[in-house]
């Protein structure tokens, strides 16, 4: 609910599409900023094969698993297509998927600054305050929410470009919590 409310709040922002993409895929900000328009297929898949650093240079992906294809929902695919269309309508023909206000390839540090600014604006206008997290922390929120909803570690790790071992190491505390809840729920039924 909080993520939905925040995304609705920033819908008219230039940075809505990349932030929404990060929220629904758990992608690293550098991966998001490294995307090219032709990485989005007609079928709605997104191929990740390069990143972008804070200096604006393209980079290699963090690991081999980071090279991946993600099947997007029609909603997020539509958001990305609308973004590309609007970008072209204002005369920006850059091949990079996401650009900054001055039509330069979007850098992850710029996106992170705008995310923080949008989050502060949201908190100033809303009764329910969101934690002031880093943009990268959305990746952790994605993993936590998916795992708590019962998604398999292997599937979440594939989408995020991690190994299952990395996923289980970073989110071991969730497994403990889920074990406690499972036993507690079952114990209530039989004791």
């Amino acid at each position: 609910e909080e993520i939905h409310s925040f995304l609705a709040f920033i819908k008219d922002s230039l940075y809505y599409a990349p932030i929404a993409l990060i929220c629904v895929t758990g992608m690293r900000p550098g991966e998001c900023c490294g995307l090219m328009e032709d990485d989005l297929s007609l079928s709605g898949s997104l191929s990740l094969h390069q990143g972008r650093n804070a200096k604006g240079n393209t980079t290699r992906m963090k690991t081999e698993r980071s090279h991946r294809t993600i099947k997007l929902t029609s909603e997020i695919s539509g958001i990305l297509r609308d973004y590309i269309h609007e970008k072209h309508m204002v005369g920006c023909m850059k091949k990079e998927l996401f650009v900054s206000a001055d039509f330069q390839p979007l850098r992850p540090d710029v996106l992170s600054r705008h995310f923080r600014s949008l989050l502060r604006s949201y908190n100033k206008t809303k009764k329910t305050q969101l934690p002031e997290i880093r943009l990268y922390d959305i990746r952790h929120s994605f993993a936590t929410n998916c795992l708590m909803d019962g998604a398999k570690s292997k599937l979440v790790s594939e989408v995020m470009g991690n190994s299952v071992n990395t996923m289980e190491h970073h989110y071991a505390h969730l497994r403990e919590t889920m074990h406690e809840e499972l036993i507690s729920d079952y114990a209530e039924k039989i004791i």
Side-chain angles (χ1 to χ4, degrees), residues 147-178:
L147 292 169
M148 291 299 286
D149 284 345
K152 303 268 190 240
S153 296
K154 182 175 180 2
L155 182 60
V156 177
S157 68
E158 287 172 2
V159 170
M160 293 179 67
N162 284 338
S163 72
V164 175
N165 289 341
T166 299
M167 179 68 55
E168 290 179 351
H169 173 76
H170 284 293
Y171 300 99
H173 64 285
L174 291 179
R175 204 156 255 339
E176 291 172 9
T177 300
M178 292 166 75

Side-chain angles (χ1 to χ4, degrees), residues 11-64:
K11 196 165 191 148
D12 294 329
S13 165
L14 172 65
Y15 303 100
Y16 169 69
I19 292 171
L21 180 63
I22 291 171
C23 287
V24 301
T25 64
M27 170 181 311
R28 296 172 184 93
E31 293 172 339
C32 180
C33 292
L35 292 168
M36 305 299 276
E37 285 184 7
D38 60 0
D39 291 335
L40 179 63
S41 73
L42 293 176
S43 67
S45 293
L46 194 59
S47 296
L48 285 79
H49 53 86
Q50 68 181 16
R52 188 166 306 282
N53 65 21
K55 293 180 180 180
N57 300 321
T58 57
T59 61
R60 294 162 59 172
M61 301 296 273
K62 186 174 180 180
T63 67
E64 274 306 308

Side-chain angles (χ1 to χ4, degrees), residues 13-153:
S13 165
L14 172 65
Y15 303 100
Y16 169 69
I19 292 171
L21 180 63
I22 291 171
C23 287
V24 301
T25 64
M27 170 181 311
R28 296 172 184 93
E31 293 172 339
C32 180
C33 292
L35 292 168
M36 305 299 276
E37 285 184 7
D38 60 0
D39 291 335
L40 179 63
S41 73
L42 293 176
S43 67
S45 293
L46 194 59
S47 296
L48 285 79
H49 53 86
Q50 68 181 16
R52 188 166 306 282
N53 65 21
K55 293 180 180 180
N57 300 321
T58 57
T59 61
R60 294 162 59 172
M61 301 296 273
K62 186 174 180 180
T63 67
E64 274 306 308
R65 284 186 181 87
S66 298
H67 294 260
R68 62 198 184 279
T69 299
I70 301 172
K71 178 68 176 143
L72 302 175
T73 65
S74 59
E75 291 83 7
I76 192 67
S77 184
I79 289 168
L80 297 179
R81 290 189 197 296
D82 289 348
Y83 178 90
I84 292 169
H85 177 73
E86 290 173 24
K87 185 173 81 164
H88 291 181
M89 292 298 291
V90 297
C92 180
M93 301 314 236
K94 294 270 186 183
K95 296 293 182 196
E96 290 82 6
L97 179 57
F98 298 117
V99 295
S100 60
D102 62 356
F103 299 149
Q104 295 304 307
L106 186 58
R107 296 185 345 225
D109 60 318
V110 171
L111 181 58
S112 293
R113 273 196 309 273
H114 284 283
F115 169 75
R116 275 189 235 109
S117 176
L118 290 165
L119 188 55
R120 279 189 222 106
S121 294
Y122 176 91
N123 282 339
K124 286 179 184 174
T125 62
K126 301 292 182 181
K127 190 170 26 173
T128 304
Q129 300 289 291
L130 297 177
E132 295 214 8
I133 62 173
R134 301 170 305 150
L135 180 60
Y136 196 93
D137 292 334
I138 291 176
R139 180 173 171 78
H140 301 301
S141 295
F142 172 83
T144 300
N145 291 332
C146 289
L147 292 169
M148 291 299 286
D149 284 345
K152 303 268 190 240
S153 296

